[in-house]
Amino acid sequence: MLGNMQEGQLLISGLIEHAETYHKDTEIVSRSVEGPIHRYTLKDAANRSRKLANALGKLDLQQGDVVGTLAWNTFRHFELYFGVSGIGCVVNTVNPRLFPEQLIYIINHAQNKYLFVDLTFVELVESISDSLESVKGIIILTDKDHMPETKLKNVICYEELIADESNEYDWPVFDENTASSLCYTSGTTGNPKGVLYSHRSTLLHTWIVSSGNVGKISSSSVILPVVPMFHVNAWGIPYASAMFGAKLILPGPLMDGASIYELIDLEKPDLLMGVPTVWLGLLQYLNETNQTLDSVSTALVGGSAAPRAMIQEFEEKHNVFLMHGWGMTEMSPLGTATSRTAEMDNMDIESRYDLQEKQGKAFFGVEMTIADDDGNELPKDGVAFGRLLVKGPTIVERYFKSNESSLDKNGWFDTGDVAKIHPEGSMEIVDRSKDVIKSGGEWISSIDLENAAVGHPAVAEACVIGVLHEKWDERPLLLVVKVEGKDLSKEEILAFLEDKVAKWWLPNDVIFVSELPHTATGKLLKTNLRDEYKEHLINTGK
Ligand code: AMP
């Protein structure tokens, strides 16, 4: 027997309508690309999203057409999230940090009809424009006074595009499974793969990220998402702001420690969101300038593993709970978090850090298990580790334009991560399956070694890769970037690691480098390093 309830569609346009009705005075503060701080309200955002919707209609966009953005976190990008998806088109947030060939691939593969581009990226688009196959015009996200000289064809100024449009618009109602936005994974090998979200998956994910176990987002929240709107929809925060009337502080193009702190000092956020490298920059700035984070109660960190030293510094110097989250583009992105519990508050601090170092428990709607290479499920005993498999309504079924499902015969999606699941439910990432070091048939976690190494005060960043070894097939090699002005020898760092990891995990060699390569989303890029140092232990006999 079916229930007797209504079948309203979960649509992104509904979010901005709700925001306007119930949270109209909530502020969206942006550091604009032009420089000054810009402020307006959710009511203004709703008005301008409808103007944009009218303008998009005149650009002859049909439902299902894809529109690209190359843009920072600002109010104009925020409007695009609602205006484009609201009319039934798809917003493809392109990560401008990718290599030009990858940008060309994505824009052509997604068949972007128009590109909405921040001033910062005009030159970048000029350099690839001859290779773009489907783009009919470029809209520059600025006003008339700031329009640049450009050799691009069919260029439109965003503020002029929407200026004379009516702010009346009836958002169309369609199936909630309609595509709403498109993000590409920044894979380290092969072409990027598209993940096509739906209105339904986006709204379900918005409830997850806002829930009591994650962001606790409400109309009294003040959130600073440093995580970019071009990377998995800034973890869904723009939508959550509209759903709950939370104030947003959008950092625009400046994400260094000093600029982020300036916004924190000015707007007093209680919740921060970003990847570990951003927090490293902020903590370094706070140390240099002797300042603290007084308004902030929680910082959500994810995208890469958060080192214990970072969790500790946030807690002990700033009284900020570092909530460790894990997810991926294919999961909208959030899958787990180390939510703060009453139990945590009553345990000794080191045991609490042990929990915070793990990636946390899955949310309702995300099922997860671990399996061996043959797909046999492994025990969730905190000891066994294997491929991390997930399922749920906010998780990809197949990649964009693929004819094949990405799920196994039991409906699981293989995350490509290797993990343990502890008896109480916490998940702990051991490594990416391709980064784990296979030494004589046993596995060594590169992440655990890296996290232990960055606990040394003279280590700014550490990277561990598996390289060829005559006897053990593969052994760990540690690459270290030293903190400026500090001295550190091989022997010192190895001695420091000795009581932190199993003896047979200790790296066979340590190499000091001036910098480490990163992917477009800030993760260590290990493929080239593995090639470069492949023979290092063989050649040196270590
Ligand atoms: P992306 O799709 O770019 O968001 O990357 C997703 C991948 O980042 C995951 O599959 C993990 O390998 C890694 N990742 C994300 N969060 C964490 C975390 N908290 N700890 C360790 N790895 C993480």
Side-chain angles (χ1 to χ4, degrees):
M1 187 175 16
L2 296 177
N4 297 142
M5 309 311 280
Q6 298 182 16
E7 284 200 3
Q9 302 301 305
L10 298 173
L11 297 178
I12 288 171
S13 54
L15 290 177
I16 197 73
E17 281 191 323
H18 171 85
E20 179 174 29
T21 311
Y22 297 104
H23 307 290
K24 62 181 172 39
D25 297 328
T26 296
E27 270 189 311
I28 306 291
V29 180
S30 315
R31 187 191 293 283
S32 67
V33 177
E34 295 86 354
I37 301 287
H38 173 276
R39 286 168 195 279
Y40 75 1
T41 61
L42 280 173
K43 164 112 187 135
D44 299 323
N47 264 328
R48 284 168 53 97
S49 301
R50 287 191 298 266
K51 280 166 154 293
L52 172 63
N54 280 316
L56 293 171
K58 294 195 183 138
L59 292 178
D60 201 23
L61 287 165
Q62 311 298 322
Q63 283 196 4
D65 281 345
V66 184
V67 165
T69 63
L70 281 150
W72 301 111
N73 292 12
T74 72
F75 63 103
R76 295 191 182 107
H77 208 178
F78 185 84
E79 293 156 14
L80 283 158
Y81 268 42
F82 296 96
V84 176
S85 303
I87 65 168
C89 287
V90 176
V91 58
N92 173 208
T93 50
V94 185
N95 183 342
R97 294 183 182 140
L98 292 168
F99 294 119
E101 315 80 76
Q102 292 174 311
L103 295 176
I104 295 167
Y105 173 84
I106 290 172
I107 295 167
N108 289 341
H109 185 259
Q111 291 190 288
N112 279 314
K113 294 278 187 303
Y114 285 90
L115 284 180
F116 287 76
V117 178
D118 264 337
L119 284 168
T120 327
F121 306 119
V122 171
E123 263 181 46
L124 178 64
V125 177
E126 282 175 344
S127 71
I128 60 171
S129 62
D130 287 346
S131 310
L132 303 182
E133 291 160 3
S134 52
V135 176
K136 295 198 276 189
I138 313 284
I139 293 101
I140 301 186
L141 292 165
T142 192
D143 54 23
K144 197 173 166 199
D145 292 348
H146 291 89
M147 277 299 278
E149 289 277 321
T150 171
K151 62 176 188 154
L152 288 168
K153 296 188 199 87
N154 301 327
V155 170
I156 305 170
C157 165
Y158 181 80
E159 291 299 335
E160 289 198 289
L161 175 76
I162 65 169
D164 297 331
E165 294 299 336
S166 159
N167 60 17
E168 306 270 315
Y169 184 84
D170 281 333
W171 297 108
V173 174
F174 39 74
D175 186 329
E176 63 187 16
N177 291 299
T178 303
S180 57
S181 67
L182 174 61
C183 293
Y184 281 74
T185 60
S186 49
T188 45
T189 50
N191 282 324
K193 289 188 266 183
V195 181
L196 186 62
Y197 309 106
S198 67
H199 286 255
R200 175 185 156 81
S201 70
T202 303
L203 267 75
L204 294 178
H205 182 268
T206 307
W207 271 303
I208 289 179
V209 72
S210 311
S211 68
N213 279 345
V214 194
K216 287 196 177 72
I217 292 170
S218 73
S219 47
S220 59
S221 305
V222 181
I223 312 171
L224 171 59
V226 188
V227 50
M229 289 170 74
F230 56 71
H231 183 211
V232 228
N233 300 328
W235 300 350
I237 286 307
Y239 305 117
S241 157
M243 188 180 266
F244 294 100
K247 174 172 168 176
L248 284 190
I249 306 158
L250 302 174
L254 303 183
M255 291 180 225
D256 59 285
S259 307
I260 294 298
Y261 183 71
E262 191 192 351
L263 289 179
I264 294 175
D265 196 32
L266 202 66
E267 302 298 326
K268 314 273 184 258
D270 57 355
L271 175 63
L272 311 180
M273 294 185 159
V275 295
T277 39
V278 163
W279 301 143
L280 278 180
L282 177 65
L283 290 174
Q284 200 176 335
Y285 174 78
L286 295 170
N287 276 333
E288 283 161 11
T289 53
N290 226 350
Q291 316 212 52
T292 51
L293 296 171
D294 298 331
S295 64
V296 182
S297 62
T298 308
L300 184 58
V301 63
S304 308
R308 190 181 186 96
M310 181 182 284
I311 297 171
Q312 201 171 347
E313 187 165 345
F314 264 108
E315 182 68 41
E316 293 172 15
K317 289 202 179 149
H318 304 287
N319 199 20
V320 170
F321 180 78
L322 194 67
M323 185 185 289
H324 198 177
W326 165 88
M328 61 197 312
T329 309
E330 288 86 339
M331 298 180 72
S332 299
L334 274 153
T336 65
T338 49
S339 316
R340 187 168 192 145
T341 58
E343 200 189 358
M344 269 186 190
D345 289 338
N346 293 326
M347 60 179 57
D348 70 88
I349 196 76
E350 294 300 326
S351 313
R352 203 183 95 189
Y353 293 153
D354 288 345
L355 275 183
Q356 280 174 267
E357 251 187 309
K358 301 191 176 80
Q359 279 72 10
K361 295 186 186 179
F363 314 120
F364 175 74
V366 176
E367 282 179 69
M368 76 181 27
T369 192
I370 45 173
D372 64 19
D373 285 346
D374 299 324
N376 304 310
E377 284 196 35
L378 295 168
K380 297 178 177 131
D381 58 5
V383 180
F385 53 90
R387 294 169 168 278
L388 179 61
L389 310 179
V390 290
K391 57 168 91 160
T394 56
I395 299 170
V396 72
E397 189 274 327
R398 69 187 59 210
Y399 289 102
F400 184 44
K401 293 189 177 169
S402 167
N403 295 325
E404 272 176 40
S405 173
S406 297
L407 311 185
D408 70 12
K409 62 180 190 318
N410 298 316
W412 292 107
F413 176 77
D414 186 336
T415 60
D417 285 333
V418 173
K420 295 178 188 172
I421 299 179
H422 290 263
E424 93 297 351
S426 288
M427 186 274 284
E428 180 182 353
I429 293 283
V430 172
D431 221 331
R432 285 296 288 166
S433 51
K434 58 185 184 333
D435 292 340
V436 84
I437 298 148
K438 295 181 179 114
S439 170
E442 298 287 342
W443 287 13
I444 298 175
S445 160
S446 66
I447 295 187
D448 280 3
L449 278 171
E450 285 157 8
N451 282 347
V454 293
H456 192 289
V459 175
E461 205 178 3
C463 172
V464 174
I465 50 171
V467 298
L468 291 178
H469 189 271
E470 266 177 3
K471 181 165 174 206
W472 301 108
D473 297 336
E474 249 183 33
R475 287 294 302 159
L477 174 67
L478 169 62
L479 302 155
V480 171
V481 181
K482 283 189 247 183
V483 172
E484 241 181 74
K486 294 219 173 164
D487 269 343
L488 181 68
S489 69
K490 257 184 216 186
E491 293 69 29
E492 277 167 332
I493 184 70
L494 289 175
F496 176 79
L497 292 176
E498 238 164 39
D499 61 349
K500 297 182 179 61
V501 296
K503 210 164 179 60
W504 64 275
W505 279 35
L506 284 178
N508 284 40
D509 201 8
V510 183
I511 296 180
F512 293 99
V513 291
S514 56
E515 58 177 351
L516 285 163
H518 293 95
T519 67
T521 53
K523 300 185 211 306
L524 283 167
L525 181 56
K526 297 189 178 180
T527 32
N528 296 355
L529 294 173
R530 272 195 289 261
D531 284 345
E532 189 177 342
Y533 293 104
K534 197 168 155 188
E535 309 275 343
H536 176 80
L537 296 179
I538 309 249
N539 293 340
T540 54
K542 289 190 171 149

